[in-house]
């Protein structure tokens, strides 16, 4: 009987939705559900299939070296760091992703970050805690310029939302093309020239060796001192030491950060205490309908896998060899 390991460090009621739905659809598979490293290290030895997030494997420092029977990993996210970069991942393992489902939740997270920074919502929250009545002018999104670095499904969902607020939308991408709702499109090599125009820089680019720390001290030096950074991509895209210095020295006005190089963000990290920073806990895509968004892809790929039809699977990021 095929065996599925669900390894998720999510609230139990969320994890149970995946188990229950897959169990109803595929009653002939055995499903193990774990949420910690020790139990996962034992369960992975018998697993034919693994359902998880790459970031969770990375956070748990979970090694696939004992996955002797593993044939397929279904990532519950788009980013595959933590999975495909594992030296122990065997060539015979197929890896699929949830590419295409994050347009709505992550684009809304980016908008929330821009609005919260512009209106200094954290300052209102702090004042509310102390019952302090304070007023200051909001910075409008209207007639501001947003640069979106990394053009894919999420960027295509974000751009029209920005246009609805009256913003100029600039795309920065490794593959230049014309898309609706973008006022201009630029190559990655043009980033230094584009940065001084931007009031907001939204990071959506995938993490890879090529994008590691691409947002560095030179980038912050080129940004307006009134500009904001929104990172809903991956923490490793940003040089955090350079970002902390830029925020401390007011080289940029603030940042809304959903992702970090090390997660959870250590309690002693200086970002926690910066008043011009909004921290969310890798929540960008995590939403009330995420299981609904995921299930069509999970069901199709599971049926294909059980039928031996690996070519029929969708979002194959790493085919077996």
């Amino acid at each position: 009987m095929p065996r599925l390991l669900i390894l998720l460090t999510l609230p139990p009621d969320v994890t149970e939705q995946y188990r229950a739905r897959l169990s109803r659809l595929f009653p002939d598979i055995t499903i193990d559900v774990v949420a910690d490293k020790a139990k996962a290290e034992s369960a992975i030895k018998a697993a034919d299939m693994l359902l998880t997030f790459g970031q969770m494997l990375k956070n748990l420092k979970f090694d696939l070296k004992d996955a002797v029977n593993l044939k397929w990993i279904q990532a519950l996210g788009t980013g595959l760091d933590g999975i495909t970069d594992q030296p122990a991942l065997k060539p015979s393992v197929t890896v699929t992703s949830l590419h295409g489902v994050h347009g709505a939740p992550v684009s809304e997270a980016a908008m929330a970050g821009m609005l919260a920074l512009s209106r200094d919502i954290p300052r209102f929250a702090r004042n509310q805690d102390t019952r302090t009545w304070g007023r200051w002018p909001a910075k409008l999104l209207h007639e501001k310029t947003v640069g979106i670095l990394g053009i894919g499904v999420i960027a295509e969902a974000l751009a029209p939302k920005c246009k609805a607020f009256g913003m100029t939308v600039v795309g920065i991408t490794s593959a230049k093309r014309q898309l609706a709702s973008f006022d201009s499109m630029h190559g990655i090599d043009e980033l230094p020239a584009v940065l001084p125009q931007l009031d907001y820089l939204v990071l959506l680019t995938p993490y890879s060796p090529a994008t590691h720390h691409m947002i560095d001290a030179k980038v912050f030096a080129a940004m307006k001192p009134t500009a904001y950074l929104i990172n809903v991509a991956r923490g490793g895209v940003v040089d955090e030491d350079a970002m902390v210095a830029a925020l401390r020295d007011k080289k940029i006005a603030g940042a809304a950060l959903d992702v970090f190089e090390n997660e959870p963000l250590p309690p002693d990290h200086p970002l926690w205490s910066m008043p011009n920073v909004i921290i969310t806990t890798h929540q960008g895509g995590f939403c009330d309908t995420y299981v609904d968004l995921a299930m069509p892809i999970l069901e199709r790929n599971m049926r294909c896998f059980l039928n031996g039809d690996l070519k029929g699977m969708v979002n194959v990021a790493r085919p077996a060899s």
Side-chain angles (χ1 to χ4, degrees), residues 108-119 200 228-230 255-256 278:
E108 288 191 21
M111 291 302 306
M114 286 193 285
L115 286 165
L117 286 169
S118 297
R119 293 185 171 268
Y200 303 86
Y228 296 100
L229 176 73
I230 317 292
I278 296 173

Side-chain angles (χ1 to χ4, degrees), residues 53-69:
F53 284 94
Q55 191 66 42
M56 288 182 181
L57 295 189
K58 186 186 294 185
N59 294 349
L60 290 172
K61 296 181 173 58
F62 184 75
D63 195 328
L64 292 169
K65 61 181 174 60
D66 293 326
V68 293
N69 294 313

Side-chain angles (χ1 to χ4, degrees), residues 176-192:
K176 289 172 65 174
R177 60 202 185 280
Q178 294 303 310
L179 291 173
S181 299
F182 285 85
D183 294 284
S184 62
M185 196 71 72
H186 303 268
I188 293 290
D189 59 321
E190 299 175 81
L191 180 61

Side-chain angles (χ1 to χ4, degrees), residues 156-196:
E156 290 186 46
L158 175 59
K161 291 179 174 65
C162 294
K163 294 299 292 183
F165 276 82
M167 305 183 80
T168 297
V169 182
V170 176
I172 305 109
T173 176
S174 57
K176 289 172 65 174
R177 60 202 185 280
Q178 294 303 310
L179 291 173
S181 299
F182 285 85
D183 294 284
S184 62
M185 196 71 72
H186 303 268
I188 293 290
D189 59 321
E190 299 175 81
L191 180 61
V194 172
L195 287 168

Side-chain angles (χ1 to χ4, degrees), residues 62-66 82-91 318:
F62 184 75
D63 195 328
L64 292 169
K65 61 181 174 60
D66 293 326
I83 299 175
T84 54
D85 53 0
Q86 285 213 27
L89 181 65
K90 295 177 176 61
R318 181 187 182 274

